[in-house]
Amino acid sequence: MSTHPDDVLADAWRDAWRYAVEAHHGQRFTGTELPYVLHVGSVAAEALVALEREALEARLLALRCALLHDVIEDTDRRPDELAARFGDEVVAGVLALSKDPSLPKEQRLADSLRRIRAQPRPVWCVKLADRIVNLDPPPDHWPDAKVARYREEAVEILDALGSASPRLAGRLRRRIERYGR
């Protein structure tokens, strides 16, 4: 007896979503009362819409990595814990999407992009989706130089990973064009 692909995807969403909500419990967007998991869910939605016509395995990897992409970087959850629940491929994707805090700040993006490019393309799509979501209007307290640098980073991400998804690349390109004050 086979399981319908829609059931597999929905069950995977609920499992990873619950884990992400528990892991990020109490975290808020800086300066707001909004729960941080709003970001996580938005990234997953961007990736899934772009990958709707892909094979189920690609969508499952993107979904899980999107929902879990900040769990290792921003919570006390460990890679071995994620591996036990979601598998090695998901952990490899999440680790690639996580910044290496041991590196100087100016080297982190290039390092992350290098590690992401070694992953399957659905992981690339998660990074594209993450930056799309992060290109909402910048906080008022950011200086112009920081806004410009964030925009430049988005261009670097697009150049490095845009070939993974024409849909996400186009959406990111449009968000970059509108980004700023």
Side-chain angles (χ1 to χ4, degrees):
M1 183 169 134
S2 67
T3 304
H4 192 279
D6 290 345
D7 295 341
V8 172
L9 199 59
D11 290 346
W13 175 281
R14 281 199 323 275
D15 186 37
W17 178 246
R18 181 177 185 93
Y19 189 91
V21 167
E22 290 170 354
H24 291 290
H25 181 74
Q27 292 179 345
R28 304 271 180 233
F29 277 112
T30 303
T32 76
E33 289 301 311
L34 293 173
Y36 184 76
V37 294
L38 179 62
H39 165 76
V40 171
S42 297
V43 171
E46 288 281 351
L48 282 180
V49 167
L51 295 170
E52 67 183 322
R53 294 184 188 101
E54 296 293 322
L56 178 61
E57 293 77 24
R59 289 184 292 155
L60 284 169
L61 179 60
L63 165 75
R64 288 177 174 132
C65 286
L67 289 173
L68 303 170
H69 77 275
D70 282 337
V71 165
I72 293 173
E73 187 175 316
D74 294 342
T75 76
D76 61 357
R77 303 300 167 104
R78 296 180 327 272
D80 60 328
E81 184 181 331
L82 253 59
R85 183 148 175 190
F86 300 103
D88 293 336
E89 187 176 37
V90 171
V91 172
V94 171
L95 285 170
L97 292 160
S98 300
K99 294 179 200 86
D100 181 347
S102 71
L103 293 175
K105 192 170 184 170
E106 64 276 1
Q107 294 176 13
R108 291 178 187 168
L109 179 61
D111 172 69
S112 180
L113 291 173
R114 179 190 53 76
R115 289 183 289 115
I116 291 167
R117 287 180 58 88
Q119 296 296 310
R121 291 199 181 250
V123 176
W124 300 26
C125 291
V126 172
K127 184 61 178 180
L128 292 167
D130 183 43
R131 190 48 63 112
I132 289 166
V133 171
N134 284 338
L135 286 180
D136 284 340
D140 291 336
H141 66 275
W142 278 19
D144 290 342
K146 184 170 183 171
V147 172
R149 179 64 192 134
Y150 203 72
R151 187 178 190 282
E152 290 169 11
E153 286 180 357
V155 172
E156 288 178 52
I157 292 165
L158 177 61
D159 289 346
L161 306 175
S163 64
S165 168
R167 292 174 82 179
L168 287 170
R171 185 148 163 71
L172 180 53
R173 192 174 296 106
R174 291 186 298 276
R175 295 291 300 239
I176 290 168
E177 290 169 3
R178 293 190 312 262
Y179 185 71
R181 297 206 161 94

Short mmCIF file of all heavy atoms in Angstrom, two decimals, residues 148-170:
data_model
loop_
_atom_site.label_atom_id
_atom_site.label_comp_id
_atom_site.label_asym_id
_atom_site.label_seq_id
_atom_site.Cartn_x
_atom_site.Cartn_y
_atom_site.Cartn_z
N ALA A 148 22.81 48.94 2.22
CA ALA A 148 23.50 48.71 0.95
C ALA A 148 24.25 47.38 0.97
O ALA A 148 24.22 46.63 -0.02
CB ALA A 148 24.46 49.86 0.65
N ARG A 149 24.90 47.06 2.07
CA ARG A 149 25.63 45.78 2.18
C ARG A 149 24.68 44.60 2.13
O ARG A 149 24.97 43.59 1.49
CB ARG A 149 26.47 45.76 3.46
CG ARG A 149 27.24 44.47 3.64
CD ARG A 149 28.29 44.27 2.55
NE ARG A 149 28.81 42.92 2.60
CZ ARG A 149 28.97 42.12 1.56
NH1 ARG A 149 28.69 42.55 0.34
NH2 ARG A 149 29.44 40.91 1.70
N TYR A 150 23.54 44.71 2.77
CA TYR A 150 22.57 43.62 2.77
C TYR A 150 22.05 43.38 1.35
O TYR A 150 21.88 42.24 0.93
CB TYR A 150 21.42 43.94 3.74
CG TYR A 150 20.71 42.70 4.21
CD1 TYR A 150 21.31 41.82 5.10
CD2 TYR A 150 19.43 42.40 3.76
CE1 TYR A 150 20.67 40.68 5.53
CE2 TYR A 150 18.77 41.27 4.19
CZ TYR A 150 19.40 40.41 5.07
OH TYR A 150 18.76 39.28 5.49
N ARG A 151 21.85 44.45 0.62
CA ARG A 151 21.42 44.35 -0.78
C ARG A 151 22.52 43.69 -1.61
O ARG A 151 22.26 42.82 -2.44
CB ARG A 151 21.08 45.74 -1.32
CG ARG A 151 20.49 45.75 -2.69
CD ARG A 151 20.15 47.20 -3.10
NE ARG A 151 19.37 47.23 -4.30
CZ ARG A 151 19.86 47.08 -5.52
NH1 ARG A 151 21.15 46.87 -5.68
NH2 ARG A 151 19.07 47.13 -6.56
N GLU A 152 23.78 44.09 -1.40
CA GLU A 152 24.91 43.49 -2.10
C GLU A 152 25.01 41.99 -1.81
O GLU A 152 25.30 41.19 -2.71
CB GLU A 152 26.22 44.17 -1.71
CG GLU A 152 26.36 45.59 -2.22
CD GLU A 152 27.55 46.32 -1.58
OE1 GLU A 152 28.38 45.66 -0.89
OE2 GLU A 152 27.62 47.55 -1.74
N GLU A 153 24.78 41.61 -0.56
CA GLU A 153 24.79 40.19 -0.22
C GLU A 153 23.70 39.43 -0.97
O GLU A 153 23.91 38.30 -1.41
CB GLU A 153 24.59 39.99 1.29
CG GLU A 153 25.78 40.35 2.12
CD GLU A 153 25.52 40.14 3.60
OE1 GLU A 153 24.38 39.75 3.98
OE2 GLU A 153 26.45 40.36 4.40
N ALA A 154 22.54 40.04 -1.11
CA ALA A 154 21.45 39.41 -1.85
C ALA A 154 21.85 39.17 -3.30
O ALA A 154 21.54 38.12 -3.88
CB ALA A 154 20.19 40.26 -1.77
N VAL A 155 22.57 40.11 -3.89
CA VAL A 155 23.06 39.94 -5.26
C VAL A 155 24.07 38.80 -5.32
O VAL A 155 24.04 37.98 -6.24
CB VAL A 155 23.66 41.26 -5.80
CG1 VAL A 155 24.36 41.05 -7.14
CG2 VAL A 155 22.58 42.34 -5.91
N GLU A 156 24.95 38.70 -4.33
CA GLU A 156 25.91 37.59 -4.27
C GLU A 156 25.18 36.24 -4.20
O GLU A 156 25.57 35.28 -4.87
CB GLU A 156 26.82 37.72 -3.04
CG GLU A 156 27.84 38.83 -3.12
CD GLU A 156 28.66 38.91 -1.84
OE1 GLU A 156 29.20 37.86 -1.41
OE2 GLU A 156 28.73 40.01 -1.25
N ILE A 157 24.14 36.17 -3.38
CA ILE A 157 23.36 34.95 -3.24
C ILE A 157 22.69 34.61 -4.56
O ILE A 157 22.73 33.45 -5.02
CB ILE A 157 22.33 35.09 -2.10
CG1 ILE A 157 23.06 35.17 -0.75
CG2 ILE A 157 21.31 33.96 -2.12
CD1 ILE A 157 22.20 35.66 0.40
N LEU A 158 22.09 35.59 -5.20
CA LEU A 158 21.44 35.38 -6.49
C LEU A 158 22.44 34.88 -7.53
O LEU A 158 22.17 33.91 -8.25
CB LEU A 158 20.77 36.67 -6.97
CG LEU A 158 20.11 36.63 -8.33
CD1 LEU A 158 18.99 35.61 -8.38
CD2 LEU A 158 19.58 38.02 -8.68
N ASP A 159 23.60 35.51 -7.60
CA ASP A 159 24.62 35.10 -8.58
C ASP A 159 25.11 33.68 -8.31
O ASP A 159 25.33 32.91 -9.25
CB ASP A 159 25.81 36.07 -8.54
CG ASP A 159 25.48 37.43 -9.12
OD1 ASP A 159 24.43 37.58 -9.79
OD2 ASP A 159 26.26 38.37 -8.89
N ALA A 160 25.28 33.32 -7.06
CA ALA A 160 25.83 32.00 -6.72
C ALA A 160 24.81 30.87 -6.85
O ALA A 160 25.18 29.75 -7.21
CB ALA A 160 26.39 32.02 -5.30
N LEU A 161 23.54 31.15 -6.56
CA LEU A 161 22.56 30.08 -6.42
C LEU A 161 21.35 30.21 -7.35
O LEU A 161 20.52 29.30 -7.40
CB LEU A 161 22.05 30.03 -4.97
CG LEU A 161 23.11 29.91 -3.88
CD1 LEU A 161 22.46 30.01 -2.51
CD2 LEU A 161 23.91 28.63 -4.03
N GLY A 162 21.24 31.29 -8.08
CA GLY A 162 20.05 31.55 -8.89
C GLY A 162 19.73 30.48 -9.91
O GLY A 162 18.56 30.29 -10.26
N SER A 163 20.72 29.75 -10.38
CA SER A 163 20.47 28.71 -11.38
C SER A 163 19.66 27.54 -10.83
O SER A 163 19.13 26.74 -11.60
CB SER A 163 21.80 28.20 -11.95
OG SER A 163 22.56 27.56 -10.94
N ALA A 164 19.50 27.46 -9.51
CA ALA A 164 18.74 26.36 -8.91
C ALA A 164 17.25 26.47 -9.21
O ALA A 164 16.56 25.45 -9.29
CB ALA A 164 18.95 26.34 -7.40
N SER A 165 16.75 27.69 -9.40
CA SER A 165 15.32 27.89 -9.61
C SER A 165 15.07 29.21 -10.32
O SER A 165 15.22 30.27 -9.71
CB SER A 165 14.57 27.89 -8.28
OG SER A 165 13.24 28.36 -8.44
N PRO A 166 14.67 29.15 -11.58
CA PRO A 166 14.34 30.40 -12.28
C PRO A 166 13.24 31.19 -11.57
O PRO A 166 13.28 32.42 -11.56
CB PRO A 166 13.89 29.94 -13.66
CG PRO A 166 14.51 28.59 -13.84
CD PRO A 166 14.59 27.99 -12.47
N ARG A 167 12.27 30.50 -10.98
CA ARG A 167 11.19 31.20 -10.29
C ARG A 167 11.71 31.97 -9.08
O ARG A 167 11.38 33.14 -8.88
CB ARG A 167 10.11 30.21 -9.86
CG ARG A 167 9.37 29.61 -11.04
CD ARG A 167 8.41 28.55 -10.62
NE ARG A 167 7.17 29.16 -10.16
CZ ARG A 167 6.13 28.48 -9.75
NH1 ARG A 167 6.18 27.16 -9.71
NH2 ARG A 167 5.04 29.09 -9.36
N LEU A 168 12.51 31.31 -8.25
CA LEU A 168 13.05 31.99 -7.08
C LEU A 168 14.05 33.07 -7.48
O LEU A 168 14.09 34.14 -6.86
CB LEU A 168 13.70 30.99 -6.12
CG LEU A 168 12.74 30.11 -5.33
CD1 LEU A 168 13.50 29.00 -4.61
CD2 LEU A 168 11.92 30.93 -4.35
N ALA A 169 14.84 32.81 -8.51
CA ALA A 169 15.80 33.81 -8.97
C ALA A 169 15.08 35.07 -9.44
O ALA A 169 15.49 36.19 -9.11
CB ALA A 169 16.67 33.23 -10.09
N GLY A 170 14.01 34.90 -10.18
CA GLY A 170 13.24 36.06 -10.64
C GLY A 170 12.62 36.82 -9.49
O GLY A 170 12.63 38.05 -9.45
#
